[in-house]
Amino acid sequence: MKKIAVFASGNGSNAQAIAEHFNQGNDARVIVILSNRKDAFVIQRAADLAIPAIVFNRSEFYDTDNITNYLIDEKIDLVVLAGFLWLLPSSLVKAFPNRIVNIHPALLPKFGGKGMYGHFVHEAVVAAGEAQSGITIHYVNEHYDEGQIIFQVHCNVDHSDTADSLAAKIHELEYAHFPRVIDEVIKTIDPT
Ligand code: GRF
């Protein structure tokens, strides 16, 4: 069985969708959810899903290798960032080459980079008058939103769309595709 670790900073609806997708079968499982916020709703979701949760603070994440070492010790096969807002320390990126994926709620390379997350992305897309937005699933390197793209899918941005209505469309795309794409990626990874 392959082991997945999911990082999330907030609501965690993608983390839940991924856990529910995998934890019915025996090929791969979300064995831990990690967050930088102890009050994030994803921690409640982890409890409801009976998945262990780990919360860390900035100094533990950046000044120690505790989290990287934990993932190595647990023999994690794939790290999934699902609404995780911090840049990964290079020790973590180096320990999991081509084994960290992120989802971005727009069509990279547009509307990516530092500060471009969540609502800010959708507000920028609507303000720019884009005819289309979508999701990008990509490998993670040491820069925000710059790793190799694995998958993109588009949706239309209508004249009546607001950041909220666009966010709802994007979430539907995320739930439909992110678990499925993770499934494809994890099948390419040799077990550790
Ligand atoms: C998602 O739209 C994800 O693409 C973005 O942040 C949002 C997180 O939503 N990076 P949730 O926490 O999974 O509900």
Side-chain angles (χ1 to χ4, degrees):
M1 187 199 68
K2 304 257 183 64
K3 295 180 180 177
I4 302 169
V6 177
F7 283 68
S9 295
N11 180 24
S13 64
N14 277 284
Q16 179 170 346
I18 296 160
E20 287 175 344
H21 174 93
F22 285 100
N23 293 13
Q24 294 160 359
N26 290 319
D27 294 339
R29 249 161 215 276
V30 175
I31 67 141
V32 64
I33 291 176
L34 300 103
S35 184
N36 56 309
R37 279 184 43 205
K38 64 178 188 309
D39 58 344
F41 190 59
V42 71
I43 301 298
Q44 181 61 48
R45 292 186 194 265
D48 294 344
L49 291 158
I51 295 173
I54 292 179
V55 176
F56 50 83
N57 63 26
R58 189 169 281 278
S59 69
E60 182 175 24
F61 198 51
Y62 291 110
D63 301 337
T64 78
D65 287 332
N66 290 358
I67 298 300
T68 301
N69 289 338
Y70 166 81
L71 299 171
I72 293 169
D73 291 347
E74 288 294 324
K75 301 192 181 339
I76 294 298
D77 294 287
L78 187 71
V79 174
V80 174
L81 310 184
F84 182 64
L85 300 185
W86 287 0
L87 198 61
L88 297 188
S90 66
S91 68
L92 208 169
V93 176
K94 288 196 174 87
F96 291 88
N98 283 331
R99 291 196 290 139
I100 309 174
V101 297
N102 180 44
I103 191 159
H104 186 77
L107 297 171
L108 291 175
K110 290 176 110 175
F111 303 104
K114 190 165 165 55
M116 270 294 174
Y117 61 89
H119 226 253
F120 296 113
V121 177
H122 306 307
E123 281 165 9
V125 169
V126 169
E130 295 287 308
Q132 293 201 311
S133 191
I135 62 170
T136 303
I137 298 167
H138 64 94
Y139 288 110
V140 170
N141 63 21
E142 288 160 47
H143 306 281
Y144 279 112
D145 302 326
E146 284 185 15
Q148 184 198 331
I149 292 173
I150 302 167
F151 175 83
Q152 289 185 309
V153 64
H154 303 72
C155 64
N156 289 331
V157 182
D158 301 321
H159 289 302
S160 58
D161 268 323
T162 61
D164 280 341
S165 65
L166 181 56
K169 284 185 190 174
I170 296 288
H171 264 124
E172 289 310 315
L173 290 180
E174 292 181 332
Y175 306 147
H177 294 283
F178 200 18
R180 182 184 67 69
V181 172
I182 293 167
D183 219 329
E184 285 174 20
V185 168
I186 209 161
K187 285 193 174 88
T188 69
I189 295 174
D190 291 329
T192 45

